[in-house]
Each structure stands twice: as structure tokens, then as C-alpha cells.
Amino acid sequence: MRLGQVAMEALRAEITGCLQPGDELAVVCPVGLKGTSIIAEQKKERLAEQFSAGFIYNCRTLFRDYGAGETVSVKDSTVWKMVQEAGASALYAMKEGGFLSALWKMAEASQVGLTVDFRKVPIRQETIEVCEIFDINPYRLESEGSVLLGIRGGQELVQKLRQEGYMAEIIGQTNDGNDRLLYSDSGVRYLERPGEDELYKIKML
């Protein structure tokens, strides 16, 4: 179901630029960093039953150590400036709802189809293990500090970002169709409209 005009205008206001068919999709900085750090702080006793103190400390500092907006807002960060200078068609600073929410919002606002390979989305092993403990989806977890973008010829930008110490990957491509397909080891599925951030489940535990 398509969004109404007011909702669509509000959605487009969240995004810098507009995806174009044929853009490569890239993610800069691992997804789920902020959510992992929050969970490690709020549920450290539960995590201590499974993990070492060193592992939990690493989880608590993931956002600080690996995010694009370590000490400033993401839109004032080195990452954001590098992506803009590279000529990105569209940029989105991830936040509540995580990677999947960001992906749906950008595709819906730009009215493009896409294909994405989940196996290429940058994510820290700490995030995966913490999410397994609480049975939550790491790709729907608060992802402040990560950037989703569309760009032509994005591999050069990815290499520059890596040289600066940031995790960055090309994860897929946009097209002029209607389908938004997500590929993984378990097969292919359609991108769905996002629901609540997985942090809400943590609050209930």
C-alpha cells in the first residue's frame, strides 16, 4: 500500500537526495552498533552468564569505536562528508528500526526497486551474538552511527573509506522495477514495511 502525500513528504524529508535506478547501494559502518551498546549496558548481568567481562565491555563501546558519528552527529562526521564529496545520489543516517527500516524508507521515498545481498551487510560479530541471546533481529536494531547510500561506481568510495578505517561494503543495487528483494543463505524474500525497533523487545525482558 502506497503512502499518502503527507506521509511521503515526511519520509522524503528524512533522506538526503534520492536514489536513482542503477545506483549501487552501500553501507558504511556496521549496523546495529548503538543497539548493541544499549543492550550491553542494560542487560550486562544477563550477558555475564554467557560472555566474559572483556566481551561485554567491547559491546558497550561498539558505537563509540566503530560508528560514523563517534563524537559528533553523523551528518557532521568524516564519513558523511566523504560520501557527499563522492557524489552519492542519496544518503540516510540510520537510526531506530535499524538497517531494514533505513532500506525500506530509502526505497519507498525514491520509488525504486532493489536487490540486496544480506551476506554483504557489515555487522560486528558482537552484535550477532548478543542478538542471538535475546532472540532479536540485528537488522532491525537501532543503528545510529551507520550510513546507507546510493551511488554510481561506489567501489572507489568504499576503498577510500576502508583506508580511513571504516567498514564499508557494496550490498546491492537499485532498479526501475517494483520488487525489493533480499537475498541470504536461506533464500530470497521481499523487503517489508518496518515495524518496531528490536530494542522494544529488550525493554519487555
Side-chain angles (χ1 to χ4, degrees):
M1 185 175 67
R2 295 293 186 188
L3 295 177
Q5 181 178 351
V6 173
M8 181 62 81
E9 288 176 356
L11 181 58
R12 286 174 173 162
E14 293 185 38
I15 298 160
T16 301
C18 182
L19 291 172
Q20 302 297 319
D23 281 346
E24 289 179 305
L25 292 166
V27 173
V28 187
C29 297
V31 302
L33 294 177
K34 187 65 175 288
T36 306
S37 295
I38 292 172
I39 293 171
E41 182 63 39
Q42 295 181 349
K43 301 294 182 180
K44 50 183 175 289
E45 292 84 5
R46 172 68 180 86
L47 292 174
E49 297 174 8
Q50 301 285 334
F51 303 113
S52 68
F55 177 90
I56 297 170
Y57 176 80
N58 289 342
C59 291
R60 292 169 66 184
T61 58
L62 280 181
F63 175 67
R64 182 196 71 191
D65 293 343
Y66 297 100
E70 319 84 14
T71 57
V72 296
S73 70
V74 172
K75 293 185 179 180
D76 292 324
S77 68
T78 299
V79 165
W80 195 265
K81 292 173 184 176
M82 289 179 66
V83 172
Q84 285 186 312
E85 290 172 358
S89 303
L91 302 86
Y92 186 81
M94 295 190 210
K95 48 190 175 182
E96 186 175 297
F99 167 71
L100 285 172
S101 175
L103 190 62
W104 184 88
K105 287 181 176 181
M106 285 193 78
E108 187 68 14
S110 304
Q111 291 294 285
V112 295
L114 56 79
T115 56
V116 164
D117 187 343
F118 254 94
R119 294 163 293 191
K120 295 181 178 179
V121 178
I123 187 168
R124 295 285 303 180
Q125 185 63 29
E126 293 95 332
T127 296
I128 293 172
E129 295 193 31
V130 167
C131 287
E132 285 179 352
I133 290 293
F134 294 103
D135 192 26
I136 58 178
N137 186 337
Y139 301 100
R140 294 190 185 278
L141 185 61
E142 165 70 66
S143 289
E144 182 182 348
S146 305
V147 178
L148 176 64
L149 63 108
I151 190 171
R152 298 295 175 99
Q155 196 58 48
E156 182 178 352
L157 171 63
V158 164
Q159 292 301 325
K160 287 181 178 178
L161 287 161
R162 289 175 179 171
Q163 289 169 7
E164 293 295 320
Y166 298 102
M167 289 182 69
E169 294 285 353
I170 302 294
I171 63 164
Q173 189 165 17
T174 61
N175 58 61
D176 59 4
N178 295 316
D179 291 340
R180 297 164 185 169
L181 303 176
L182 308 177
Y183 291 85
S184 68
D185 289 332
S186 58
V188 59
R189 64 184 178 89
Y190 288 97
L191 176 65
E192 299 176 351
R193 187 168 180 169
E196 287 186 331
D197 192 292
E198 295 288 75
L199 279 179
Y200 287 99
K201 294 182 180 179
I202 295 296
K203 294 176 181 178
M204 303 296 289
L205 297 175

